[in-house]
């Protein structure tokens, strides 16, 4: 085993050396291929009758999201990369769904991929500031895409005529792949000077004051209170979303299967039923709030129900990032409550800015699609779920049903 690990390390080192020696040539090839594919997809979308107004709204929204990204990373080129990384993916998806026009749904696909790009940029910034590591969210993105694809297929294949479900799935998948490909390649070309380090450190210190308060969800009494608030919101949103649910008319088996899928994936991937429950409640809350707000704003007249898969994808992605970070701290020996507290401090700012950028991307669509307002409200709850509700639910369940500790953990505490 040691020999195989050593060989793997040598192979990885050789690959890195080859990349740095031929970086210009390799990146030129990659960008050329991506450019050709994006250009061809854009041309096909135009020939297929894709909406030019929709494309313009996405571009303007990306510019606004870039401003939000700059407030987070404090690096102009990196902020531009974060805002631009999902766009080729939307162009790739356009020819596959050009006949399906469902309002602001592509903007939600962009918001999901933008959230991925923000998390990747956050990892880059942490490395540049103190040589730390948050970790690249490939696993979290993959799990979120799988769940949202299943939701899109089983919930909306018949009610949206198939086209809206396909559009949601393609927008989510291709925009996410675009962000996951372009961010690592683009960030390898960036330079971080001392002025950037000073700006980013000042911004991090300002945010830390807010995050220290948000991290109090790991404290049992605060966790119980905030978990209770989350459950009250779920109950209110359930009753408020009833007219919209009657419009969609999902089968009870589909509802139960969707909830069970989210719970099972979260349970297996992040260490226990408490984490599975927290992710399930967070995703359910965001979807119900979206339906409630959609009925109040647009009276379910714009097929906005197909916006649920990308909303669920973004909410789950942000919650999964927090659960993954808390799990990493637990594996290093932290108490579960301390691990959650540190996870909020590590990622809370990035999670909030990921949502704010998604809302900024939706702003240009508000004038043309009333559903964009309901999506924005749901995105706010996605941020609250990731930073507050999900950690609080795990804390509350630990108080009500304490974890069992192994002998090694007990001795480590002593």
């Amino acid at each position: 085993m040691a020999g195989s690990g050593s060989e793997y390390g040598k192979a990885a080192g050789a690959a890195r050396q080859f990349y740095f020696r031929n970086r210009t040539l390799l990146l030129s090839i990659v960008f050329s291929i991506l450019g050709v594919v994006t250009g061809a997809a854009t041309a096909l979308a135009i020939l297929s009758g894709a909406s030019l107004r929709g494309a313009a709204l996405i571009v303007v929204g990306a510019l606004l999201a870039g401003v939000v990204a700059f407030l987070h990373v404090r690096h102009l080129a990196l902020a531009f990369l974060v805002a631009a990384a999902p766009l080729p993916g939307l162009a790739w998806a356009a020819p596959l769904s050009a006949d399906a026009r469902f309002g602001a749904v592509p903007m939600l696909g962009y918001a999901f991929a933008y959230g991925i790009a923000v998390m990747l940029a956050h990892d880059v910034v942490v490395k540049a500031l103190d040589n730390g590591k948050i970790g690249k969210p490939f696993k979290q993105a993959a799990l979120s895409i799988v769940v949202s694809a299943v939701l899109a297929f089983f919930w909306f294949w018949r009610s949206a005529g198939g086209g809206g479900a396909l559009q949601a799935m393609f927008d989510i998948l291709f925009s996410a792949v675009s962000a996951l490909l372009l961010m690592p390649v683009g960030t390898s070309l960036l330079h971080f000077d001392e002025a950037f380090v000073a700006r980013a450190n000042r911004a991090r210190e300002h945010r830390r004051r807010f995050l220290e308060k948000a991290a109090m969800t790991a404290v049992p009494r605060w966790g119980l209170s905030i978990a209770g608030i989350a459950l009250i919101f779920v109950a209110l949103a359930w009753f408020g979303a009833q007219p919209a649910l009657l419009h969609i008319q999902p089968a009870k088996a589909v509802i139960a299967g969707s909830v069970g899928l989210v719970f099972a994936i979260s349970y297996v991937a992040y260490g226990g039923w408490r984490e599975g429950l927290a992710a399930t409640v967070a995703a359910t809350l965001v979807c119900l709030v979206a339906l409630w707000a959609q009925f109040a704003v647009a009276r379910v007249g714009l097929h906005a129900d197909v916006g649920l898969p990308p909303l669920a994808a973004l909410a789950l992605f942000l919650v999964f990032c927090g659960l993954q970070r808390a799990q990493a701290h637990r594996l290093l020996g932290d108490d579960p409550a301390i691990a959650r507290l540190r996870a909020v401090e590590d990622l809370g700012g990035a999670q909030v800015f990921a949502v704010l950028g998604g809302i900024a991307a939706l702003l240009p669509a508000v004038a043309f699609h009333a559903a964009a307002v309901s999506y924005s409200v749901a995105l706010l709850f996605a941020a609250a779920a990731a930073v507050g509700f999900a950690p609080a639910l795990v804390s509350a369940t630990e108080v009500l049903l304490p974890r069992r500790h192994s002998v090694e953990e007990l001795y480590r505490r002593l």
Side-chain angles (χ1 to χ4, degrees):
M1 292 297 290
S4 62
S6 176
E7 292 175 3
Y8 176 79
K10 291 179 180 178
R16 282 194 295 269
Q17 290 178 6
F18 176 80
Y19 170 75
F20 285 113
R21 284 198 304 268
N22 304 277
R23 183 169 62 175
T24 302
L25 175 62
L26 293 175
L27 292 180
S28 298
I29 294 173
V30 170
F31 283 124
S32 297
I33 294 173
L34 292 176
V36 170
V37 173
T38 303
T42 302
L44 284 174
I46 294 174
L47 293 175
S48 301
S51 172
L52 295 179
R53 185 184 70 183
L57 292 177
I58 291 174
V59 172
V60 175
L63 292 174
L64 295 177
V67 175
V68 176
F70 177 76
L71 294 176
H72 176 226
V73 300
R74 302 305 171 103
H75 190 284
L76 186 60
L78 182 57
F80 174 81
L81 181 62
V82 169
L87 294 178
L90 290 180
W92 304 340
L96 301 174
S97 55
D99 61 335
R101 294 180 175 84
F102 287 90
V105 173
M107 286 75 163
L108 287 179
Y110 173 87
F112 170 59
Y114 176 87
I116 295 174
V118 167
M119 287 300 172
L120 289 168
H122 186 63
D123 183 54
V124 171
V125 171
V126 169
K127 288 180 181 178
L129 292 184
D130 49 25
N131 202 29
K133 186 177 181 181
I134 297 297
K136 292 181 172 56
F138 297 124
K139 172 184 172 183
Q140 298 91 301
L143 293 176
S144 303
I145 291 170
V146 169
V147 172
S148 62
V150 173
L151 287 176
F153 183 82
F154 285 103
W155 278 70
F156 307 117
W157 186 260
R158 287 184 299 175
S159 66
L166 280 175
Q167 179 179 1
M169 286 189 287
F170 286 135
D171 288 342
I172 292 168
L173 176 60
F174 288 133
S175 60
V177 169
S178 177
L180 291 170
L181 284 175
L182 292 179
M183 284 299 298
V185 173
T187 52
S188 68
L189 301 173
L190 300 181
H191 172 68
F192 301 96
D193 56 16
E194 293 182 359
F196 159 75
V197 172
R199 291 196 304 271
N201 270 323
R202 284 196 300 269
R204 184 164 64 172
E205 289 301 321
H206 288 308
R207 291 185 203 123
R208 194 180 297 275
R209 298 167 190 163
F210 163 77
L211 294 175
E212 286 176 352
K213 297 178 181 178
M216 294 301 289
T217 54
V219 177
R221 59 172 180 159
W222 288 108
L224 283 168
S225 300
I226 296 172
I229 293 172
L231 294 178
I232 290 172
F233 275 123
V234 170
L236 292 174
W238 169 257
F239 289 108
Q242 286 303 307
L245 288 172
L246 291 175
H247 170 74
I248 301 173
Q249 294 182 341
K252 292 181 179 179
V254 172
I255 297 176
S258 302
V259 172
L261 175 67
V262 175
F263 178 84
I265 287 179
S266 308
Y267 171 82
V268 172
Y270 298 109
W273 65 267
R274 295 171 180 81
E275 288 75 14
L277 178 64
T280 304
V281 171
T284 302
L285 174 60
V286 171
C287 291
L288 289 176
V289 167
L291 290 173
W292 184 13
Q294 165 62 19
F295 180 76
V297 173
R299 297 294 175 182
V300 200
L302 295 173
H303 297 282
D305 45 10
V306 294
L308 294 187
L311 281 172
L314 179 58
L316 285 174
F317 172 73
L318 296 176
V319 171
F320 286 164
C321 285
L323 295 178
Q324 178 78 22
R325 190 62 179 162
Q327 186 182 52
H329 283 302
R330 288 203 311 271
L331 292 176
L332 292 175
D334 285 342
D335 180 82
I338 299 301
R340 286 192 302 278
L341 186 147
R342 295 184 64 184
V344 173
E345 291 180 343
D346 291 344
L347 294 181
Q351 291 167 324
V352 170
F353 275 99
V355 168
L356 293 178
I359 294 174
L362 282 167
L363 284 179
V366 170
F368 301 95
H369 307 293
V373 178
S374 62
Y375 295 153
S376 300
V377 174
L379 286 176
L380 289 174
F381 275 85
V387 178
F389 293 158
L393 285 164
V394 179
S395 298
T397 52
E398 281 186 348
V399 172
L400 299 175
L401 296 169
R403 294 180 188 264
R404 292 182 179 180
H405 297 284
S406 65
V407 175
E408 292 81 0
E409 290 175 327
L410 293 174
Y411 275 113
R412 189 166 54 220
R413 287 186 175 187
L414 295 175

